[in-house]
Amino acid sequence: AQSVTQPDIHITVSEGASLELRCNYSYGATPYLFWYVQSPGQGLQLLLKYFSGDTLVQGIKGFEAEFKRSQSSFNLRKPSVHWSDAAEYFCAVFRRFGNEKLTFGTGTRLTIIP
Amino acid sequence: EAQVTQNPRYLITVTGKKLTVTCSQNMNHEYMSWYRQDPGLGLRQIYYSMNVEVTDKGDVPEGYKVSRKEKRNFPLILESPSPNQTSLYFCASRSREELFFGEGSRLTVL
């Protein structure tokens, strides 16, 4: 069965600083990977996705993520965070056969300090 | 506008009082799913539906029912809600590999 681990429950960074959120996955085949963001009181918005090809993918709001097969990782990065980036971030892996469901990590809550 | 609509957005109810959370999508997606979100647990799938009249259990189906009589609608039914079903619920529909989520329904069972 597939699984996703987000080892950081809560991260605090200063506005303007760089950000990296970690995500490790377990899946028996080539994964489809996603990052979603959830602002307070809101639903989930897709930031970016990886299916194949270039392992560095660009998303919305200036985010990018790098797929590293050897490390089973799909870390999310942003060179300079803004106060509006404060939210909860979820990594997810898509199971392509059978249920074809999206399995989520437990999330990382990002706090931005001035 | 493409969207997934859930109602109600907020609900406080009491143990044992049946309730239904509706979900509707306007994107003609075949696949729909319900998730619940709890602190520290992320999102867990409750039920899913591959198409009309085809539904199956996800990871945490106990205490829930669903139906899929038409493509656009996928209601979640709590026949006898209990306090451990207090949670934030999300409906989603899928286009290929991407899930589109509703805005969520926050349910409190007293």
Side-chain angles (χ1 to χ4, degrees):
Chain A
Q2 73 269 33
S3 65
V4 177
T5 302
Q6 294 180 248
D8 304 305
I9 296 173
H10 185 203
I11 284 181
T12 300
V13 299
S14 300
E15 189 168 14
S18 64
L19 171 71
E20 183 169 25
L21 302 182
R22 295 184 291 165
C23 172
N24 292 97
Y25 67 90
S26 172
Y27 185 62
T30 301
Y32 288 1
L33 296 160
F34 301 80
W35 276 99
Y36 282 85
V37 60
Q38 183 181 31
S39 298
Q42 303 296 313
L44 285 90
Q45 181 182 23
L46 180 67
L47 280 177
L48 48 78
K49 58 190 176 186
Y50 171 78
F51 293 163
S52 64
D54 192 347
T55 55
L56 184 64
V57 294
Q58 302 298 320
I60 61 171
K61 306 185 180 189
F63 285 91
E64 66 178 27
E66 186 171 12
F67 170 60
K68 293 185 177 180
R69 184 187 301 274
S70 61
Q71 299 177 18
S72 298
S73 69
F74 189 56
N75 294 349
L76 182 71
R77 302 194 295 246
K78 188 170 185 178
S80 176
V81 297
H82 186 263
W83 63 266
S84 61
D85 293 325
E88 187 146 24
Y89 292 80
F90 292 93
C91 182
V93 61
F94 178 71
R95 171 180 165 178
R96 285 148 48 200
F97 306 101
N99 181 347
E100 297 185 351
K101 72 175 182 181
L102 208 56
T103 297
F104 288 85
T106 52
T108 298
R109 184 159 61 93
L110 176 64
T111 298
I112 308 294
I113 54 177
Chain B
E1 179 190 355
Q3 59 185 4
V4 178
T5 304
Q6 299 177 223
N7 280 295
R9 295 287 313 281
Y10 302 91
L11 179 64
I12 299 174
T13 189
V14 296
T15 299
K17 186 176 181 181
K18 179 179 179 180
L19 67 92
T20 299
V21 186
T22 64
C23 174
S24 180
Q25 51 97 2
N26 63 1
M27 294 169 278
N28 202 37
H29 291 161
E30 293 182 347
Y31 183 101
M32 297 185 73
S33 181
W34 276 101
Y35 286 83
R36 62 177 287 175
Q37 182 182 9
D38 302 289
L41 297 177
L43 284 89
R44 296 176 292 167
Q45 190 186 53
I46 303 171
Y47 267 94
Y48 68 97
S49 170
M50 301 287 279
N51 212 329
V52 175
E53 303 292 358
V54 180
T55 64
D56 208 345
K57 298 176 180 178
D59 298 319
V60 288
E62 294 77 20
Y64 305 94
K65 286 175 57 177
V66 294
S67 70
R68 188 89 182 274
K69 292 183 169 55
E70 47 190 342
K71 186 180 276 191
R72 66 184 293 121
N73 295 323
F74 190 44
L76 179 70
I77 303 157
L78 286 73
E79 293 271 4
S80 182
S82 62
N84 65 11
Q85 293 178 297
T86 292
S87 188
L88 177 59
Y89 292 86
F90 287 100
C91 181
S93 69
R94 181 166 65 81
S95 168
R96 295 186 64 195
E97 299 82 8
E98 182 175 342
L99 275 182
F100 295 83
F101 286 88
E103 293 193 327
S105 297
R106 185 167 292 282
L107 171 65
T108 301
V109 183
L110 303 176

